[in-house]
Amino acid sequence: MIWKRSAVLRFYSVCGLLLQAAASKNKVKGSQGQFPLTQNVTVVEGGTAILTCRVDQNDNTSLQWSNPAQQTLYFDDKKALRDNRIELVRASWHELSISVSDVSLSDEGQYTCSLFTMPVKTSKAYLTVLGVPEKPQISGFSSPVMEGDLMQLTCKTSGSKPAADIRWFKNDKEIKDVKYLKEEDANRKTFTVSSTLDFRVDRSDDGVAVICRVDHESLNATPQVAMQVLEIHYTPSVKIIPSTPFPQEGQPLILTCESKGKPLPEPVLWTKDGGELPDPDRMVVSGRELNILFLNKTDNGTYRCEATNTIGQSSAEYVLIVHDPNALAGQTGPDHALIGGIVAVVVFVTLCSIFLLGRYLARHKGTYLTNEAKGAEDAPDADTAIINAEGSQVNAEEKKEYFI
């Protein structure tokens, strides 16, 4: 089988040389403008690569594709290598295109297109094969984790070429402070990549999804992800909520003990002033609620709710003061004494203001001259009185009257 393949290769090579020799005299001048053109190709492992060789000016000169081992793949439209993955796409005097399907990492390398002029002209095309990273795996989580513990999660993926990038997200927010490690696989072509995330957990992390994302150019912008949902155990938190802010004598009261914890707290324990509830007939515990029927003054005191789970216990207190309904009604009605005092003050200030304003106007009323002059009243007629009065205007400044 091997000698047959070698014979075929020698046959195509000899044919190429004979064609060159036969046409060399007439084509040497015409081949000056002939040159094969190729392009590098990148393909994902398992995909199909198309290798194309073009010649803009070709006067019936043969084209040939050969692999990195210098094995002829196609000589014009004739297949030279027995490989079912390699097929002819197009063969003409201006183009020779072939396809390689189910590409593996071993197919990577430099492929050669030869144009059999005199001398032979070649063009190189490098085939790059991308190694697809495996689905990532997260390790290091053991459920449950106690609040305050240090957690270390590791995300790992293998088979990437070039090395993949790993990113961490928690609550859709990227975590930057991580460790990154890259190792070459046994085939010396692909890589195993791992990333380690360290953080201290608290109760807010319970139920949170931590995501490891692998980015690589072979994934076509669709990253691979692995997710770990955290389970955090923590002691209960307790809060007492009354049914009314102003408990009144004769009315009922419900105290609700709101407790949160993981594992879920056991049924709560109610006490009053450090002891048992004094009146079980009126003080009924139902689940997390304490119902007190018909409040009275003897119910005043400190009520305590205690919640416990396997991690620990916690409690909250509520000081009950029973109010007199009549006293509350009086406090909520209008204060007539206060309103009367305010009105009296307003009236007093108004009267004082009026009195002071009158005195001010009276003091600044001004002066005036009398129309009477000495001797005016003794004048025999009006003309004489006017003449006598005009003569007396010099002394007008002396006739001033003041009013207080």
Side-chain angles (χ1 to χ4, degrees), residues 12-264:
Y12 284 125
S13 298
V14 170
C15 288
L17 293 175
L18 290 176
L19 289 172
Q20 294 172 19
S24 60
K25 292 183 180 180
N26 299 325
K27 294 183 180 179
V28 170
K29 184 175 180 180
S31 64
Q32 298 296 324
Q34 301 178 40
F35 200 87
L37 300 175
T38 60
Q39 287 185 335
N40 295 332
V41 177
T42 299
V43 63
V44 176
E45 183 180 12
T48 300
I50 305 295
L51 300 174
T52 300
C53 179
R54 290 188 176 88
V55 180
D56 292 336
Q57 300 177 10
N58 189 3
D59 46 6
N60 301 337
T61 302
S62 295
L63 291 170
Q64 172 186 288
W65 269 113
S66 57
N67 62 16
Q70 295 304 310
Q71 297 173 312
T72 301
L73 303 179
Y74 265 89
F75 187 87
D76 288 338
D77 60 350
K78 300 176 180 63
K79 190 174 183 178
L81 185 65
R82 288 181 176 273
D83 189 336
N84 294 331
R85 301 178 306 130
I86 302 175
E87 298 290 341
L88 179 66
V89 177
R90 174 179 293 182
S92 67
W93 295 117
H94 297 283
E95 179 183 335
L96 179 59
S97 295
I98 62 174
S99 66
V100 183
S101 60
D102 194 19
V103 175
S104 64
L105 294 174
S106 60
D107 293 323
E108 184 174 86
Q110 188 168 264
Y111 289 71
T112 304
C113 175
S114 301
L115 176 65
F116 284 93
T117 58
M118 186 61 70
V120 176
K121 297 178 181 179
T122 61
S123 179
K124 308 292 184 181
Y126 196 90
L127 175 61
T128 300
V129 181
L130 301 177
V132 182
E134 298 176 359
K135 183 175 177 61
Q137 300 291 332
I138 296 178
S139 61
F141 179 76
S142 58
S143 179
V145 179
M146 303 303 171
E147 183 178 26
D149 286 354
L150 182 64
M151 179 177 292
Q152 184 177 85
L153 300 178
T154 300
C155 180
K156 179 182 290 186
T157 179
S158 302
S160 60
K161 176 183 173 296
D165 184 33
I166 295 180
R167 301 167 67 185
W168 287 95
F169 293 86
K170 177 183 170 187
N171 278 338
D172 296 329
K173 182 179 180 181
E174 185 173 2
I175 304 173
K176 296 289 189 179
D177 188 16
V178 297
K179 300 174 184 177
Y180 182 85
L181 179 63
K182 178 179 69 174
E183 297 176 329
E184 192 175 57
D185 294 333
N187 59 17
R188 305 187 66 83
K189 293 179 180 294
T190 59
F191 295 89
T192 294
V193 181
S194 62
S195 178
T196 302
L197 169 65
D198 296 316
F199 64 101
R200 196 168 299 279
V201 299
D202 57 35
R203 63 187 60 200
S204 64
D205 293 322
D206 183 51
V208 169
V210 176
I211 295 176
C212 161
R213 192 175 87 182
V214 176
D215 293 320
H216 194 263
E217 54 188 298
S218 67
L219 300 176
N220 296 324
T222 305
Q224 293 183 344
V225 298
M227 182 176 66
Q228 178 64 63
V229 178
L230 304 182
E231 182 181 359
I232 312 300
H233 283 194
Y234 53 94
T235 57
S237 60
V238 182
K239 180 172 62 174
I240 297 177
I241 304 175
S243 58
T244 176
F246 298 104
Q248 299 183 31
E249 191 172 7
Q251 294 184 355
L253 174 67
I254 299 177
L255 299 180
T256 302
C257 183
E258 186 180 90
S259 60
K260 297 179 181 179
K262 196 164 186 178
L264 190 66

Side-chain angles (χ1 to χ4, degrees), residues 369 373 388-399:
L369 297 176
N388 291 340
E390 289 176 353
S392 302
Q393 286 298 318
V394 179
N395 299 323
E397 291 295 331
E398 296 179 359
K399 295 184 68 64

Side-chain angles (χ1 to χ4, degrees), residues 270-285:
W270 284 97
T271 59
K272 179 191 176 186
D273 296 331
E276 295 182 355
L277 298 176
D279 191 350
D281 294 334
R282 287 191 310 109
M283 300 178 178
V284 180
V285 177

